[in-house]
Amino acid sequence: MGEETRGRILVVEDDPEAALFVVHVLANRCRFEVIHTADPLVALRLATDEHWDLLVTDLDMPGMTGLELLGALRRVAPGLPVAVVSAHALDGVPPGRLGDADRYLEKPLRVDQLIATATALIGRGRQPYPDTPGHDTLPT
């Protein structure tokens, strides 16, 4: 048997170099099980069909933005921790415009910041998603 992983992370990133960096850091340095897809629709299906401990998504992707993905995730996997990554400065942007992610990270990502974020969100575990206007809630 191989080494036990510390959690499952789904990475949604359309930039191959950025994806390789995130996967490498989280899988090799932290021993997380990491799966990558560049397609937000595939990510949504995977999040619906399988158990994940964290989803890390880029903000700007073709076809579906990270915030659109986040909104859909809150309906199908409401407690799944989500970290949104952006190459655009997030300082001063009103929180309501950023959606309901658990964390926001700016590119270029720092190794220590990525590790700390993943470790903290996975350590916290799935949280009930609060009822907020504009969000559907799933019956329990």
Side-chain angles (χ1 to χ4, degrees), residues 3-127:
E3 289 184 26
E4 190 174 321
T5 61
R6 298 173 53 201
R8 295 187 79 214
I9 300 174
L10 180 57
V11 174
V12 190
E13 171 63 72
D14 63 313
D15 177 337
E17 288 183 21
L20 183 63
F21 173 78
V22 172
V23 170
H24 175 79
V25 168
L26 296 176
N28 296 334
R29 294 200 50 187
C30 298
R31 293 189 336 266
F32 292 116
E33 178 185 345
V34 184
I35 303 296
H36 165 253
T37 181
D39 186 339
L41 293 174
V42 170
L44 190 56
R45 182 179 47 80
L46 288 169
T48 302
D49 294 344
E50 300 179 28
H51 175 84
W52 299 93
D53 298 299
L54 174 64
L55 185 135
V56 177
T57 183
D58 188 24
L59 183 63
D60 296 315
M61 297 180 289
M64 177 186 278
T65 69
L67 294 183
E68 291 168 334
L69 175 59
L70 178 60
L73 283 169
R74 292 299 185 217
R75 290 187 293 277
V76 300
L80 177 63
V82 177
V84 174
V85 179
S86 177
H88 305 290
L90 299 172
D91 291 337
V93 177
R97 293 218 40 230
L98 293 174
D100 297 306
D102 296 282
R103 293 282 168 86
Y104 292 92
L105 302 171
E106 288 186 36
K107 292 180 181 176
L109 290 171
R110 294 189 337 259
V111 171
D112 60 333
Q113 178 187 42
L114 181 59
I115 291 170
T117 297
T119 302
L121 290 177
I122 289 174
R124 183 192 80 185
R126 289 179 170 246
Q127 299 291 312

